[in-house]
Amino acid sequence: MSELLKTLLVDQLNVEVYQNRKVLGQVAAKSVALKMKEILKDKDRVRMIFAAAPSQNEFLEALTKEEGIDWSKVTAFHMDEYIGLQASAPQRFSHYLKERLFDIVNPGEVYLIDCENTIGDECRRYANLLTQEPIDIVCFGIGENGHIAFNDPPVADFQDPAIIKSVELDLVCQQQQVNDGCFTDIESVPTHALTLTIPTLISASYLFCMVPGTTKRDAVQKTLCGPISTKCPATILRRHENCTLYTDIDSCGAVEER
């Protein structure tokens, strides 16, 4: 495995730069696995939230191969889901996570967002599940527009009172789904989704953020170098006490410590 190329500390955010996305995913998986085991020494369960996106492919594959994790003691959630897609649609985030993680490691409890339910009822149901106990770990990425989950700049709120909400996706976010190969054209991308809010995500004790690839370079640059603002929602990560941003040469580029 290649060595760590560079580390940065931007406000409170730890940034690590690796040679490529495969190594990035492997290192992030080892870090998450270590933290899971550490938490389970003191607690009966570890409560985790996962993202579904191509940026997570290498990380999730590596995580399924990590040994010594008692997945029966894991309670798993996911952070967003399209509204309007059929339950069988391969683009559903629940399908992605089941295929790449849940059906492989079999967590003790898995709670999926059900967009077949009415929006109000589902928001109440999922919020109740999420708030029964604190969230320990969130594993996620950053969108091309700087979003975390589906908190795009027009709808992001650092003081959002909701736990989960319905949002309209902005055009940059919709185009990213096409760029990622999830949809053939922008007309096929749903216009709305349910998403966990920013306060819900950053309330977790530990955040692990995996962001490889050239398409994310502008978002990483703004996250690390721009003002902390909902214009780039990921900038809020710089205020979290235990967040690590895993990047590669393609995504981090020439970003330097300030």
Side-chain angles (χ1 to χ4, degrees):
M1 187 180 297
S2 300
E3 294 180 0
L4 174 67
L5 298 182
K6 182 168 59 177
T7 61
L8 309 173
L9 181 65
V10 182
D11 296 328
Q12 297 184 82
L13 177 61
N14 298 298
V15 184
E16 299 183 1
V17 186
Y18 291 92
Q19 184 68 36
N20 55 57
R21 60 189 301 148
K22 182 176 181 179
V23 174
L24 181 163
Q26 292 171 338
V27 172
K30 288 189 178 299
S31 299
V32 170
L34 185 64
K35 183 57 65 177
M36 292 171 69
K37 296 172 190 176
E38 180 182 303
I39 291 170
L40 285 172
K41 289 179 180 178
D42 299 320
K43 297 176 63 175
D44 293 334
R45 303 199 65 77
V46 57
R47 290 164 60 84
M48 304 179 66
I49 299 172
F50 292 94
S55 65
Q56 307 299 295
N57 288 356
E58 293 80 8
F59 159 69
L60 291 176
E61 181 182 2
L63 186 62
T64 65
K65 297 175 181 177
E66 284 292 319
E67 298 180 352
I69 301 173
D70 188 348
W71 283 95
S72 70
K73 296 183 178 180
V74 175
T75 298
F77 301 88
H78 63 132
M79 58 181 55
D80 45 19
E81 186 60 275
Y82 294 115
I83 295 172
L85 282 184
Q86 292 184 347
S88 60
Q91 296 94 340
R92 287 280 288 260
F93 292 149
S94 57
H95 175 82
Y96 171 97
L97 284 170
K98 287 172 67 177
E99 182 179 71
R100 294 183 178 271
L101 181 64
F102 300 153
D103 287 350
I104 300 172
V105 298
N106 297 309
E109 296 175 322
V110 175
Y111 296 109
L112 301 175
I113 298 172
D114 180 10
C115 286
E116 304 301 308
N117 199 359
T118 63
I119 292 173
D121 286 346
E122 184 58 14
C123 286
R124 284 187 288 271
R125 183 189 75 89
Y126 215 65
N128 180 62
L129 292 168
L130 285 162
T131 56
Q132 286 179 3
E133 293 182 57
I135 298 297
D136 298 300
I137 295 172
V138 176
C139 303
F140 65 116
I142 295 172
E144 292 178 19
N145 60 3
H147 73 211
I148 49 178
F150 270 142
N151 295 283
D152 293 332
V155 298
D157 183 350
F158 293 161
Q159 285 81 43
D160 205 316
I163 303 297
I164 177 174
K165 66 181 181 180
S166 171
V167 295
E168 182 175 2
L169 308 183
D170 75 7
L171 289 176
V172 177
C173 177
Q174 288 181 286
Q175 183 60 47
Q176 179 185 326
Q177 312 313 310
V178 179
N179 298 345
D180 284 346
C182 301
F183 294 87
T184 56
D185 52 65
I186 198 167
E187 289 75 21
S188 304
V189 182
T191 58
H192 290 75
L194 290 180
T195 183
L196 306 194
T197 62
I198 290 174
T200 301
L201 296 169
I202 66 172
S203 71
S205 299
Y206 301 95
L207 306 181
F208 296 86
C209 187
M210 286 62 75
V211 188
T214 54
T215 60
K216 302 297 179 68
R217 182 174 292 193
D218 185 59
V220 169
Q221 198 85 14
K222 290 176 180 175
T223 296
L224 301 182
C225 302
I228 297 177
S229 162
T230 55
K231 292 181 179 179
C232 178
T235 54
I236 195 65
L237 302 180
R238 286 162 33 198
R239 291 181 177 166
H240 197 280
E241 293 182 354
N242 293 296
C243 180
T244 300
L245 174 62
Y246 298 86
T247 67
D248 60 8
I249 293 174
D250 288 339
S251 61
C252 198
V255 171
E256 298 293 342
E257 190 166 8
R258 299 177 308 166

